[in-house]
Amino acid sequence: MSHDTDKKAVITDDEAELARLGYKQELKRDWSLLQNFGVSFSIISVITGISTLFLYGLTTGGPAVMSISWIIVAFFTLIVGLAMAEICSSIPTSGGPYFWSAMLASPGQSAIAAWITGWFNLLGQVAVTTGISYGCSNFIATTATLHTGFEPNSRHVIGIYAGVLVSQGLINTFGVHLLKYLNNASVVFHSAGIFSIAVAVLAKAPKLQSASFVFGKFVDATGVGEDGVGWGQRASKAYVAVIGMTLSPLFHLCQEKQRLM
């Protein structure tokens, strides 16, 4: 009984904070910290990144770019994350960035700032969703070939792709209450998968490379045309490195999470 009372008090406080910002509570606030973490963890999806982009990283800079850029990008991403977390704790609104833009910009620029931020964010979400879903369809098609005579072609992949997108749309439209449980399951599977891959690679690697190879070996396999000259020679090695380095959903769910302040 005491727990329910405390929960209602937290929700009331959160609603009061939204009201202070001129924003009415519209969504049901019943997501826990773990369930919100599951959203970000699922979108980061280390397993998906390794499977779809590992070869890309090896050919656009190789070990040196992949290792050093991981450290550099992680550092600056952490700074951005800390800054956005500070804003999120002060302005915990659904939709996040576009509302923040309106609040942080000057009164005369708030509308255009929110409009630009909202549209760029939407385009990014569409690109991410379609890209990951296409990767998923390729995985499904490849899995279907195991111990079978099935040979997928482009039509099969596109058909699976359409099915994945439709299923996602149905879940988000009619079964949104299931998302928090799916996110929790995703955390378990991703954690187990990452651990298994790390152990398998270390246990089965025929040779462990030296630190000079990991942090100093530069590979440019971006060659095009008959001459096979890569972009490291056509442009510069820095260009290839930057391309190789180009390898925040929680803020949109602020209004569905408990105890944000």
Side-chain angles (χ1 to χ4, degrees):
M1 183 70 178
S2 176
H3 175 72
D4 293 339
T5 302
D6 291 342
K7 183 176 179 180
K8 290 180 180 178
V10 170
I11 294 176
T12 301
D13 291 342
D14 288 335
E15 290 180 359
E17 179 62 22
L18 289 179
R20 185 183 67 81
L21 296 170
Y23 199 98
K24 182 182 177 183
Q25 173 79 30
E26 298 287 354
L27 303 174
K28 187 177 181 181
R29 194 183 291 273
D30 63 350
W31 281 43
S32 67
L33 177 62
L34 176 61
Q35 291 160 350
N36 271 258
F37 169 75
V39 177
S40 276
F41 199 70
S42 300
I43 290 182
I44 292 172
S45 189
V46 177
I47 295 178
T48 304
I50 292 174
S51 304
T52 58
L53 295 175
F54 197 74
L55 178 61
Y56 180 80
L58 287 176
T59 57
T60 54
V65 171
M66 293 179 72
S67 57
I68 296 174
S69 69
W70 189 283
I71 298 172
I72 295 173
V73 172
F75 174 75
F76 285 103
T77 299
L78 179 61
I79 293 176
V80 173
L82 290 173
M84 297 185 77
E86 183 67 21
I87 300 173
C88 181
S89 65
S90 301
I91 313 175
T93 57
S94 179
Y98 64 83
F99 191 86
W100 302 347
S101 300
M103 295 289 289
L104 297 174
S106 61
Q109 303 296 324
S110 61
I112 187 63
W115 188 86
I116 293 174
T117 303
W119 274 107
F120 269 96
N121 194 265
L122 175 62
L123 292 175
Q125 294 287 353
V126 170
V128 167
T129 301
T130 53
I132 293 177
S133 298
Y134 185 73
C136 177
S137 65
N138 276 298
F139 290 147
I140 294 173
T142 302
T143 303
T145 65
L146 299 177
H147 306 295
T148 67
F150 178 65
E151 295 184 5
N153 55 37
S154 58
R155 289 182 297 178
H156 294 140
V157 174
I158 293 300
I160 297 171
Y161 181 38
V164 169
L165 290 175
V166 170
S167 66
Q168 291 171 341
L170 291 174
I171 291 175
N172 280 276
T173 303
F174 303 108
V176 69
H177 60 284
L178 300 175
L179 291 179
K180 54 187 178 183
Y181 304 112
L182 293 176
N183 290 328
N184 285 352
S186 176
V187 171
V188 174
F189 284 116
H190 273 84
S191 299
I194 295 168
F195 178 78
S196 300
I197 290 173
V199 171
V201 169
L202 290 174
K204 293 297 184 179
K207 177 184 177 182
L208 298 180
Q209 299 290 353
S210 64
S212 61
F213 178 89
V214 174
F215 295 102
K217 178 65 175 178
F218 184 87
V219 176
D220 179 12
T222 59
V224 293
E226 295 182 359
D227 56 8
V229 176
W231 285 102
Q233 292 177 265
R234 294 176 184 273
S236 70
K237 289 186 176 180
Y239 174 80
V240 176
V242 170
I243 295 299
M245 290 175 66
T246 57
L247 297 163
S248 23
L250 278 183
F251 309 123
H252 298 280
L253 301 171
C254 289
Q255 202 182 129
E256 298 174 67
K257 185 184 181 305
Q258 304 167 20
R259 199 175 290 280
L260 282 163
M261 306 305 292

